[in-house]
Amino acid sequence: MLEVQNIHKSFGPLEVLKGVDLTVRRGDVVAILGPSGSGKTTLLRCVNFLETADQGTLSFDGERFRLGHVPRKDVARLRKKTAFVFQSYNLFLNKTALQNVTEGLIVARKMPKAQAEEIGRRALDKVGLSDRMDHYPSQLSGGQQQRVAIARAIAAEPEIIYFDEPTSALDPELTGEVLAVMRRLADEGMTMLVVTHELGFARTVSSQVVFMEGGVVVEAGPSQEIFERPKEERTRAFLQTGGSER
């Protein structure tokens, strides 16, 4: 459903992505691994047009686009099929959990408030926050805030959810809360592209793994194969550190 080819991205003289290819099939959970500075987040942001790639192509649901030259109306249309979960939650501090989930439905999608709230309640219940709907972000733990962000993503009924290191700001106990929600989504067949340093999650939940370093894909393949029989020495060395290279 999603294929990107030969993505390049530079920030001034720094070339961050040096010709990256990526394929995500419907129902896949693809984990992108790699040390800090390898280009993982930049790739994710380029795929969802939060950054503009310098060159490359993107195919989504059979439509093909030349990156760097995608009309704004097509970007808006494609974004309606996707959702993005940031590592820093990106919640409105002056809105309740339910209002954070429904805001995009009401404002961007012009959905009636009653319908949006019904969808929002179901999404919050799905992430285990049915008793926190009227709480503001300041009244929630980091893990609960991230679960609100995931509920917001679910409520949009996307074809794919992009996760940018969703547990990097959380302590181990709260990390478990968020990963449990993501596991349930995977079990339900949600297509996900996940930048993560959680190797246990990548090994047990993802169907495919992409290992990046220095702006290129060093190795990619089925999760079991990458974790048990990596072909590249650099991949093997990274996995042996437990993903602690950050």
Side-chain angles (χ1 to χ4, degrees):
M1 68 176 295
L2 171 69
E3 183 177 8
V4 294
Q5 294 180 314
N6 197 35
I7 286 189
H8 288 256
K9 176 64 179 176
S10 296
F11 295 98
L14 178 63
E15 189 176 16
V16 178
L17 298 177
K18 305 173 182 178
V20 173
D21 298 338
L22 177 74
T23 299
V24 183
R25 298 182 297 270
R26 194 172 301 279
D28 270 351
V29 178
V30 178
I32 305 178
L33 308 177
S36 179
S38 58
K40 309 182 299 295
T41 291
T42 300
L43 172 62
L44 203 65
R45 292 176 65 86
C46 285
V47 167
N48 202 39
F49 305 103
L50 295 172
E51 298 283 357
T52 301
D54 298 327
Q55 70 177 78
T57 60
L58 180 147
S59 299
F60 194 99
D61 280 351
E63 292 187 89
R64 187 176 177 87
F65 302 91
R66 191 158 59 98
L67 293 172
H69 305 276
V70 183
R72 191 173 299 176
K73 62 180 177 58
D74 287 330
V75 170
R77 184 169 54 81
L78 288 170
R79 279 188 177 159
K80 287 184 177 180
K81 299 181 179 182
T82 71
F84 200 105
V85 177
F86 299 85
Q87 56 183 295
S88 55
Y89 324 139
N90 280 26
L91 301 180
F92 294 108
L93 300 181
N94 63 336
K95 296 185 183 297
T96 65
L98 181 59
Q99 290 169 335
N100 266 284
V101 174
T102 60
E103 181 77 4
L105 302 179
I106 296 170
V107 175
R109 305 199 179 198
K110 311 301 181 186
M111 186 179 291
K113 183 178 178 181
Q115 181 184 355
E117 288 185 345
E118 181 181 348
I119 292 171
R121 289 189 182 95
R122 286 202 304 266
L124 285 166
D125 182 61
K126 195 168 190 175
V127 300
L129 291 175
S130 57
D131 61 340
R132 295 289 189 273
M133 294 188 189
D134 295 325
H135 287 57
Y136 290 88
S138 62
Q139 299 171 305
L140 301 173
S141 70
Q144 289 170 336
Q145 290 184 62
Q146 191 61 292
R147 284 189 281 156
V148 172
I150 294 174
R152 179 176 57 192
I154 295 169
E157 298 183 342
E159 295 183 31
I160 184 171
I161 302 179
Y162 303 116
F163 291 85
D164 182 17
E165 297 202 28
T167 61
S168 65
L170 304 177
D171 64 34
E173 182 178 357
L174 301 181
T175 291
E177 294 178 6
V178 173
L179 294 181
V181 170
M182 294 173 67
R183 284 190 176 93
R184 287 199 295 274
L185 291 177
D187 289 342
E188 294 170 6
M190 173 60 72
T191 307
M192 298 189 283
L193 182 58
V194 186
V195 170
T196 183
H197 59 273
E198 297 289 342
L199 297 192
F201 172 85
R203 182 168 193 155
T204 59
V205 179
S206 68
S207 52
Q208 301 286 321
V209 165
V210 174
F211 174 63
M212 292 182 63
E213 185 174 51
V216 300
V217 173
V218 176
E219 187 168 359
S223 298
Q224 184 176 4
E225 183 177 304
I226 295 294
F227 277 96
E228 295 182 4
R229 297 179 300 279
K231 296 176 182 176
E232 301 295 329
E233 177 57 37
R234 185 64 189 95
T235 309
R236 189 158 40 249
F238 177 81
L239 295 177
Q240 287 173 349
T241 70
S244 60
E245 298 178 44
R246 300 180 56 193

